[in-house]
Amino acid sequence: MAKNSYRGSKHAKAAEANHDVDFGCSLKELRSLMELRGPEGLQRVQETYGDVHGLCSRLKTSPVDGLTGNTEDINRRIEEFGKNFIPPKKPKTFLQLVWEALQDVTLIILEVAAIISLGLSFYRPPDAEREHCGKAAGGVEDEGEADAGWIEGAAILLSVCVVVLVTAFNDWSKEKQFRGLQSRIEQEQRFTVVRGGQVIQILVADIIVGDIAQIKYGDLLPADGVLIQGNDLKIDESSLTGESDHVKKTLDKDPMLLSGTHVMEGSGKMVVTAVGVNSQTGIIFTLLGAGDDDDDDDDDEEKARKKKEKEEKKKEKERKKKEKKDKKSKKNEGGERKKGKDGVEMQPLNSDDGAEAEEKKKANLPKKEKSVLQGKLTKLAVQIGKAGLLMSAVTVIILVVLFVVDTFWVQGLPWIKDCTPIYIQFVVKFFIIGVTVLVVAVPEGLPLAVTISLAYSVKKMMKDNNLVRHLDACETMGNATAICSDKTGTLTMNRMTVVQINIADRHYRKVPEPDLIPGKIMDLLITGIGINCAYTTKIMSPEKEGGLPRQVGNKTECALLGLVMDLRRDYQAVRNEYPEEKLYKVYTFNSVRKSMSTIIRKYDGGYRMFSKGASEILLKKCCRVLTGTGEAKAFKPRDRDDMMQQVIEPMASEGLRTICLAYRDFPTSDGEPDWDNETDILTALTCICVVGIEDPVRPEVPDAIKKCQRAGITVRMVTGDNINTARAIASKCGILHPGDDFLCIEGKEFNRRIRNELGEIEQERIDKIWPKLRVLARSSPTDKHTLVKGIIDSTVLEQRQVVAVTGDGTNDGPALKKADVGFAMGIAGTDVAKEASDIILTDDNFSSIVKAVMWGRNVYDSISKFLQFQLTVNVVAVIVAFTGACITQDSPLKAVQMLWVNLIMDTFASLALATEPPTEALLLRKPYGRNKPLISRTMMKNILGHAVYQLTIIFTLLFAGEQIFDIDNGRNAPLHAPPSEHYTIVFNTFVMMQLFNEINARKIHGERNVFEGIFNNMIFCSIVFGTFVIQIVIVQFGGKPFSCVRLSVEQWLWCVFLGFGCLLWGQVISTIPTSRLKFLMTAGHGTQKDDIPEEELEELEDQDEIDHAEMEMRRGQVLWCRGLNRIQTQIRVVNAFRDNMSPYEGLETPESRSSIHNFMTTPDFRIEDSEPQIPLIDDITLEEDSAPTKRNAVPPLAQAAHLTQPEQ
């Protein structure tokens, strides 16, 4: 094989010198090559190019040295084969977002009413005197005033425009932020390639066809390629083929590597053959893009595509049948291998099935509730909406009845035909008042507050080294009750050094001088470490002078390479003597083996194997040990026990990780061993030495863990390390305290305790263990997943546990996905772990998790602050409009004024209150838990208390204001009467009270000092000040549209003084102990399981998400709340099923319903059907364009993504 690579490199160099020669294979040829699988692909390579090296020389690259890396060559390759970039889906334009915001039901009603009002205001009854139409219509002396009747309608339309633009702008900036986040995640992805003989890391987007890429365990392949050299390589191709079995990749059976697949084991090198839109993932994404463009494709293309899809579906079915037969008939090993081939080879990659499988992982999420907060909010918003609807309906009815009674009965007027338009005008006016009550009652600012708060937190969390991939993870983190943390790299510094070594019958507590170790042992040690560490692991010179050397690659291996350097030897010389191509076979490290072995061919034709691994596991496989003379002596079980007690346990109890290094010779006389029989190969080893590796605890971790414990969060350590090492580190971190009654157990013991006689896991058994468990050592990835699932499903404690998990390895994927919040390591983490996580810790540090908890709790508190403010305004505005309308037949607060109040209290207040920075005080309380109501009793006390004050002031002004200020009475004004001073004062005082109450709302736990830290939040200060300035402008210069008259300075001072009274009244309220007010109710609970009827619960079990809004809707059947979107979408989907056409066309994306108002009106639609459900195209590309939506945005439709796989 080494010969091959040499030949290839000569070819390549010769070809590179001659730049004018074109490449020996075209883009189309390479694309068709990569669509083949397994043996077929291999056959094509052999027929067309001879072998992989032939392919390399055609691509003018060297398998050993890679591309030269000169710019001219790179540009030619990009021109010929394209860039490694898949263009994302186009974002929505601002106009589309405006259109979506206009879909809000309440706004539509207002627009219609305003237009009718506008039209009618221009109508003049011909000769009939206005007086004939009743008192309310007449009495306007000034004709000019009567002409100004159109202003109100126009003003309402204008304010609707403002609301829509603000909404659209918020949506637009949110989307922009997500895209920025996404591109930041993409920019940080680098990959290792060989260029000009140097191993370098380049951005994934810079990879080009012909690059030689080094692949290793945990990588997500960024491009398609053909394997040049591989060690024990296993790939998870389920993202493309839907087959969950790992596919073994070897040069002689299946060398085809595909982009978007995960390396689950082993390492190797590949030559890149397709990038970007020409790679397999790229082809799928291009298809998706085509499938969800609007109707601008030509019809012919459409038909061709549909035809192609049908053919491919047919092929797919045939393949399934064949596969099932294969599975039944072939039970032996050969059959298995055959099945593996069939399972992959015929998969038509550019079909939608591939596309669907491409996102299979993302779509097949575990059954999750919607984010806790969203569930509570949706439910609350729906309830308030219902109340508002009721109030507004009653208001309209009372106004109409009063008007009819007054005009036709009290005044006893007959119905005059010419007066009809005037009567209609009155009805429209009443209708507008009713709708305005509704607008004020419906808290559409709620979802806006959530969005702003989350988006703001996400932005700030970046600075605290938390890169949030899914928005709701941020808020869930505030409720976290348990954290299951890795040890290495999260709690420790992940900078490992060998500090103790047991070699040649002696134990050294620091690295010995080289001359103390016999030469023979020294050579075995240096060669063993040099060869049996991944060649991607290196020690580089320090970045700053006098700094520590940089460790690149696996940190445990770096420690061993560091040992070689401490012994003043050079590991690179060993690697030059045995380049990676010369290694005969490599058994790479995985979580089952817990060891790594490399086999080389000796010059006499025999083989030598070097092994390294966890000491207690590898020592069991040793039957000899090297002594002080350099010779080997027998190593009996008793010797092993002595070594465990005297060497390994003392090292482990000091928190050192112990690694055993061993070797074995296979003499020529025994013939070629059966390398696939691992158990026979990995026995009869000779132990060279045992080393103790120190990985110091991060200095800031003990303090961070103390904060977590004080905040009511239990920290558990789940590690693959030895139990003594784990216990020692846990004590140093403060997870364990001396004298505590807590459990530290190994994975084996854990499994024994949680399984019954039949080997099945029982929840009751887990429940006996987890509350006391603090350290789980020697655990497998499955153990970690079992533990997380067990804690989440547990019902021992009254509130459901919210679990956060940290992980860095590929094997942590399942646990990260299962957890409520998954943290992946940004530096040490593999791509697979990052893909499964919700938050990436860019500095791999545990103390960043504490910051995430703080931000999460802050989000929750910000929403509560906003609610407290919003509901006070709602209660007051609705009661004032309602009572005022019933008593004076006109709302004291006009439609336009109401819309302004709605704007300040919704949009501005949500901005002001949602951007409060967090304080350390947030970590002094216990987590709220899933069942805590959004509105606590203290908050309810504040809301009702302030409402009482505000209503008293408003009604006093309304009914006695003219006497107090000695002004004209503004009540019972006729239809187009000019605005009055009286009502202007009422409006102004109302707004002033809201402004001061906004300051009160900053505290929700009954604190007295509401000004504390107010200047830390400049956004808050500027918004309150800005609102005040605009209010002055409205009152002084707003005139007719705002129904305002200029006020004198004295009147202004009175308004401000009455507003300031809110702050004083707030102090009075906080003096009343909440415990006395037993009658106060809490509100805003999530839907409890007990509230749901049995039948519905069963239905819900089948769905993958419990949608609280849906629960509410089912019970109330409030039709107005369904919104137009749902009906349209359902009709389209039903038609799609009926016509049996591609159901993807014209469907809107799930995000298209993210408009603020639609938050309430559209719970994700569901089609409950016995047929397999079809994932929406948009859900498939969802992850790509708005990453932060794992939990709450994949509609259940997408979760039927297993529809094309046969049952595994």
Side-chain angles (χ1 to χ4, degrees), residues 976-990:
H976 295 295
S980 62
E981 256 181 312
H982 183 188
Y983 273 22
T984 306
I985 290 178
V986 172
F987 165 59
N988 200 22
T989 310
F990 180 67

Side-chain angles (χ1 to χ4, degrees), residues 25 33 95 104 128 130 137 154 166 176 201 248 353-354 449 464 512 521 547 566 653 814 854 885 899 923 949 1032 1083:
C25 33
L33 168 69
L95 284 174
D104 181 41
R130 291 179 72 95
V166 169
K176 191 169 152 227
Q201 289 227 323
K248 207 165 181 179
D353 311 9
D464 286 338
I521 298 185
D566 290 343
S653 60
M854 212 154 81
L899 282 169
L923 294 174
Y949 170 79
I1032 295 176

Side-chain angles (χ1 to χ4, degrees), residues 31 80 118 168 224 354 364 398 440 726 807 840 984 1021 1117 1164:
R31 253 180 84 153
E80 183 82 23
L118 253 181
D224 293 351
N364 249 348
I398 290 180
V440 176
I840 296 173
T984 306
C1021 299
Q1117 294 298 314
D1164 288 344

Side-chain angles (χ1 to χ4, degrees), residues 853-908:
V853 172
M854 212 154 81
W855 277 107
R857 292 185 172 191
N858 191 50
V859 168
Y860 211 92
D861 280 8
S862 297
I863 304 301
S864 295
K865 289 171 189 173
F866 173 70
L867 267 175
Q868 178 173 305
F869 173 71
Q870 162 110 31
L871 292 179
T872 312
V873 190
N874 276 8
V875 169
V876 175
V878 170
I879 293 179
V880 167
F882 179 72
T883 348
C886 298
I887 297 173
T888 67
Q889 291 187 33
D890 184 12
S891 167
L893 298 171
K894 300 291 180 282
V896 181
Q897 294 175 350
M898 288 274 226
L899 282 169
W900 160 237
V901 169
N902 203 33
L903 190 74
I904 58 168
M905 71 184 194
D906 273 1
T907 311
F908 297 159

Side-chain angles (χ1 to χ4, degrees), residues 683-897:
T683 50
L685 304 179
T686 305
C687 171
I688 303 173
C689 69
V690 173
V691 295
I693 296 176
E694 182 185 41
D695 185 8
V697 170
R698 288 176 181 265
E700 62 280 5
V701 162
D703 187 40
I705 286 180
K706 199 179 277 160
K707 278 183 188 162
C708 280
Q709 288 163 342
R710 200 172 53 214
I713 301 170
T714 311
V715 182
R716 295 182 175 82
M717 182 201 284
V718 183
T719 175
D721 219 330
N722 174 322
I723 188 154
N724 296 329
T725 312
R727 193 183 276 121
I729 299 278
S731 304
K732 284 183 190 171
C733 293
I735 293 176
L736 293 175
H737 299 291
D740 281 350
D741 173 26
F742 287 133
L743 277 180
C744 291
I745 56 176
E746 287 196 343
K748 260 188 195 160
E749 172 68 3
F750 174 69
N751 271 302
R752 194 182 61 71
R753 290 197 193 185
I754 61 169
R755 291 174 192 274
N756 60 18
E757 299 73 41
L758 303 170
E760 294 158 349
I761 297 172
E762 286 186 356
Q763 184 64 41
E764 299 79 61
R765 290 173 181 249
I766 299 182
D767 289 345
K768 285 181 189 154
I769 296 178
W770 74 259
K772 283 193 170 179
L773 182 70
R774 288 296 175 273
V775 175
L776 183 58
R778 281 278 174 253
S779 67
S780 69
T782 333
D783 296 341
K784 193 172 189 174
H785 181 259
T786 309
L787 177 65
V788 173
K789 186 177 182 306
I791 298 179
I792 288 178
D793 295 345
S794 173
T795 48
V796 183
L797 304 180
E798 57 203 53
Q799 57 170 340
R800 142 136 155 58
Q801 296 283 300
V802 177
V803 183
V805 167
T806 70
D808 53 4
T810 307
N811 46 21
D812 293 327
L816 287 172
K817 253 198 161 72
K818 177 67 196 166
D820 293 286
V821 183
F823 286 91
M825 302 298 139
I827 303 167
T830 59
D831 294 344
V832 183
K834 288 178 188 170
E835 195 73 11
S837 69
D838 300 297
I839 298 179
I840 296 173
L841 296 177
T842 49
D843 62 346
D844 288 13
N845 193 336
F846 187 84
S847 59
S848 302
I849 299 178
V850 181
K851 298 251 177 64
V853 172
M854 212 154 81
W855 277 107
R857 292 185 172 191
N858 191 50
V859 168
Y860 211 92
D861 280 8
S862 297
I863 304 301
S864 295
K865 289 171 189 173
F866 173 70
L867 267 175
Q868 178 173 305
F869 173 71
Q870 162 110 31
L871 292 179
T872 312
V873 190
N874 276 8
V875 169
V876 175
V878 170
I879 293 179
V880 167
F882 179 72
T883 348
C886 298
I887 297 173
T888 67
Q889 291 187 33
D890 184 12
S891 167
L893 298 171
K894 300 291 180 282
V896 181
Q897 294 175 350

Side-chain angles (χ1 to χ4, degrees), residues 269-518:
K269 273 189 199 170
M270 70 170 188
V271 57
V272 176
T273 53
V275 293
V277 286
N278 299 308
S279 67
Q280 293 304 311
T281 308
I283 291 170
I284 286 169
F285 275 123
T286 319
L287 268 176
L288 295 181
D292 101 90
D293 270 358
D294 295 313
D295 311 321
D296 40 5
D297 289 16
D298 295 336
D299 285 344
D300 308 342
E301 275 183 41
E302 278 298 296
K303 281 174 194 155
R305 198 167 61 77
K306 280 181 199 161
K307 196 172 166 191
K308 194 174 168 195
E309 274 168 22
K310 274 183 190 158
E311 279 171 23
E312 275 158 359
K313 293 233 166 76
K314 232 185 242 167
K315 267 195 220 166
E316 184 65 11
K317 276 180 191 156
E318 281 167 25
R319 185 175 76 77
K320 296 268 158 56
K321 280 181 196 159
K322 189 172 168 192
E323 213 171 274
K324 275 186 184 154
K325 276 184 202 159
D326 275 1
K327 277 190 182 166
K328 281 176 196 159
S329 59
K330 311 255 169 67
K331 293 283 184 199
N332 58 8
E333 196 187 328
E336 271 303 305
R337 203 168 291 156
K338 176 89 172 63
K339 187 216 96 180
K341 286 189 289 192
D342 277 333
V344 205
E345 87 193 301
M346 281 189 59
Q347 168 71 27
L349 246 167
N350 34 6
S351 74
D352 287 320
D353 311 9
E356 162 272 320
E358 154 69 17
E359 296 288 313
K360 168 170 178 272
K361 283 226 176 81
K362 293 161 195 166
N364 249 348
L365 295 178
K367 195 175 283 190
K368 280 267 164 76
E369 283 205 355
K370 266 194 163 177
S371 102
V372 190
L373 182 64
Q374 267 191 338
K376 291 178 184 175
L377 276 179
T378 314
K379 193 173 167 187
L380 189 69
V382 171
Q383 286 167 342
I384 297 173
K386 284 180 188 173
L389 190 63
L390 189 74
M391 289 292 275
S392 62
V394 172
T395 312
V396 174
I397 293 168
I398 290 180
L399 283 171
V400 173
V401 170
L402 278 176
F403 172 73
V404 171
V405 168
D406 181 58
T407 309
F408 300 117
W409 198 41
V410 178
Q411 296 179 39
L413 291 174
W415 180 287
I416 301 169
K417 197 175 162 208
D418 287 344
C419 289
T420 310
I422 288 186
Y423 296 148
I424 292 178
Q425 237 168 321
F426 269 106
V427 174
V428 170
K429 177 182 163 188
F430 299 149
F431 187 62
I432 287 179
I433 292 172
V435 173
T436 320
V437 172
L438 177 63
V439 169
V440 176
V442 172
E444 65 271 59
L446 268 184
L448 178 65
V450 180
T451 307
I452 291 177
S453 183
L454 286 175
Y456 171 77
S457 306
V458 166
K459 213 169 181 174
K460 292 286 188 195
M461 281 166 80
M462 287 274 214
K463 291 184 181 148
D464 286 338
N465 304 310
N466 282 296
L467 180 66
V468 181
R469 291 182 69 236
H470 300 129
L471 264 191
D472 61 335
C474 171
E475 152 256 316
T476 313
M477 204 48 218
N479 286 321
T481 53
I483 297 175
C484 294
S485 172
D486 257 6
K487 174 178 74 74
T488 311
T490 314
L491 301 173
T492 59
M493 288 170 78
N494 205 10
R495 184 178 177 87
M496 305 206 187
T497 41
V498 173
V499 287
Q500 296 190 24
I501 181 168
N502 185 283
I503 190 167
D505 288 344
R506 286 195 58 187
H507 189 80
Y508 299 95
R509 293 193 67 80
K510 61 177 201 293
V511 177
E513 288 298 312
D515 48 8
L516 294 174
I517 299 173

Side-chain angles (χ1 to χ4, degrees), residues 247-283:
V247 183
K248 207 165 181 179
K249 297 287 178 185
T250 52
L251 282 167
D252 51 354
K253 289 207 179 71
D254 180 2
M256 316 304 277
L257 298 165
L258 308 175
S259 58
T261 57
H262 292 124
V263 183
M264 301 310 277
E265 245 179 73
S267 61
K269 273 189 199 170
M270 70 170 188
V271 57
V272 176
T273 53
V275 293
V277 286
N278 299 308
S279 67
Q280 293 304 311
T281 308
I283 291 170

